[in-house]
Amino acid sequence: GNLYLDELHSSSKKQKSSSDIPFLNRFGVVGDLAATEIKLIIRNKRSKSAVIKSFIFILYGLLFYTNPKMAGQTTFFAPIFCGMLMTGIFIINYGQFMFGWQSSHFDGLLANKINTEDFFRSKFLLFTLFSSINLILSLPYVYFGWRILLMHTVMYLWNLGVNATLVLYFANRNFKSIDLSKSASFNWQGVGASQWILSIPLLLGPFVLFLPLHWMGFENLAIASIGIVGLGFIITRKFWISTLTNNFNNNRYLIAEGFRNK
C-alpha cells in the first residue's frame, strides 16, 4: 500500500529534461507542476491559442485610451475594464476551462502521489506568472498617465486575488473534457453553463465594489477598495486553497467521470 514505482530509484540522481524551466525549480513540487502545465500549453493547439490571445489583449487599451469619445469614461471605466482584461485575460480565458485542459490524464493525476494543495498552488503560480508578464507588457500605457498604471496594478491584484480564486472554485464544477489537439477557432468543446455563469462575477465584480463609492464621491477610496480586496484574497490564499482542496476532494470523482464521458 505504500510502494510507489517512482521511489524505486529515489537514490539515483534525478535527470533534468532539456525543457525544464529553471526559474520554477525554486518552488519545488509546485514549480514542477506549473512547469509541466506550461509544457502542456506550448505543445497543444487550443491551450497555446489561449496564451497567444492573452498577449494580443495587451493592445486592447489602444481602443480606449486613444479614443477621444471615451474621454469622459476613461477616468474609471476604461482603466478598470482594460486593466482587468490585460492583466487577467489569461486567468479568464485559460482558467475558465480548468481542469478540462488535463481531462485526458485526469485519472492519472488522481492516482498519482500529488498533494491536492500543491496542485492548487501550482495553478495560482501559473496565473501569477502570466499575469505578471502581462502587467509588465502593459507598462507603456503609462504614456497616457500614471493613473492608468495605477489602475492596471490595482486590477492585477484583483485578478490574482479574487478572479483566480473564483476561476478555481468553478473549476471544481466543470465536468467537460477538452481535446487539446483541436483548433480553438469555432470550437465550443468544453463550454458549459459554468463558463457562462463564471463570466458574470469575473467581469462585473470590481464594478459592484467601485461604483457605489464612486457615486458617493469617494473615487480614490473606490479604487483603493478594489486593490485592498484583491490583496486581502492574496494574503489569505492559504485559507482559500484549503477550501478549494476540500471542495475538490468532494467533487473529484464527479469531475473524472465527466471527463471520461467525452
Side-chain angles (χ1 to χ4, degrees):
N2 296 299
L3 176 64
Y4 298 93
L5 294 177
D6 56 333
E7 291 183 346
L8 294 179
H9 302 285
S10 59
S11 60
S12 61
K13 186 177 179 180
K14 184 179 179 181
Q15 299 295 321
K16 293 291 184 180
S17 168
S18 59
S19 59
D20 278 347
I21 304 174
F23 168 75
L24 295 175
N25 289 341
R26 68 186 68 184
F27 298 101
V29 175
V30 174
D32 290 340
L33 290 171
T36 301
E37 188 153 359
I38 290 175
K39 296 171 190 176
L40 177 150
I41 292 171
I42 294 174
R43 293 171 180 172
N44 296 279
K45 293 179 181 179
R46 190 168 177 183
S47 55
K48 188 190 300 183
S49 175
V51 175
I52 294 173
K53 288 178 181 178
S54 70
F55 291 138
I56 293 176
F57 260 84
I58 296 298
L59 303 175
Y60 194 73
L62 296 176
L63 298 176
F64 287 87
Y65 302 147
T66 61
N67 189 347
K69 295 181 180 179
M70 297 294 297
Q73 302 177 32
T74 303
T75 54
F76 66 91
F77 174 78
I80 291 177
F81 188 69
C82 294
M84 177 170 51
L85 289 181
M86 283 190 283
T87 64
I89 189 60
F90 177 80
I91 296 174
I92 297 172
N93 197 24
Y94 182 83
Q96 66 177 318
F97 296 111
M98 292 281 187
F99 306 105
W101 301 111
Q102 298 164 306
S103 58
S104 62
H105 57 272
F106 191 77
D107 285 327
L109 291 175
L110 294 182
N112 209 320
K113 195 177 67 171
I114 297 176
N115 185 285
T116 306
E117 290 194 356
D118 288 339
F119 180 67
F120 277 99
R121 288 191 185 97
S122 71
K123 304 301 182 185
F124 279 112
L125 177 59
L126 190 71
F127 290 158
T128 301
L129 178 62
F130 280 95
S131 290
S132 299
I133 293 173
N134 278 17
L135 177 64
I136 293 172
L137 292 177
S138 71
L139 289 179
Y141 284 107
V142 73
Y143 171 81
F144 297 100
W146 286 99
R147 185 183 181 82
I148 302 297
L149 179 61
L150 172 64
M151 292 301 298
H152 286 187
T153 304
V154 166
M155 294 313 302
Y156 167 78
L157 295 175
W158 176 271
N159 282 318
L160 289 184
V162 179
N163 282 355
T165 304
L166 281 174
V167 159
L168 292 175
Y169 173 80
F170 277 90
N172 285 332
R173 286 150 181 79
N174 178 27
F175 308 146
K176 292 185 176 292
S177 64
I178 292 178
D179 186 347
L180 294 172
S181 63
K182 293 184 178 180
S183 173
S185 301
F186 303 103
N187 187 351
W188 296 96
Q189 186 188 32
V191 178
S194 62
Q195 280 73 37
W196 299 107
I197 297 174
L198 173 60
S199 63
I200 297 175
L202 287 182
L203 298 178
L204 298 183
F207 292 103
V208 171
L209 190 64
F210 177 87
L211 289 176
L213 292 172
H214 172 72
W215 287 332
M216 288 187 289
F218 304 108
E219 186 167 325
N220 290 333
L221 178 60
I223 295 171
S225 65
I226 297 176
I228 291 172
V229 171
L231 185 61
F233 268 74
I234 294 174
I235 293 174
T236 57
R237 181 169 288 173
K238 184 176 181 180
F239 166 78
W240 298 114
I241 288 177
S242 178
T243 302
L244 290 168
T245 298
N246 292 334
N247 194 251
F248 174 82
N249 288 334
N250 292 331
N251 293 331
R252 55 183 175 175
Y253 296 116
L254 292 174
I255 298 173
E257 183 179 358
F259 289 164
R260 296 188 202 108
N261 299 326
K262 297 182 180 179

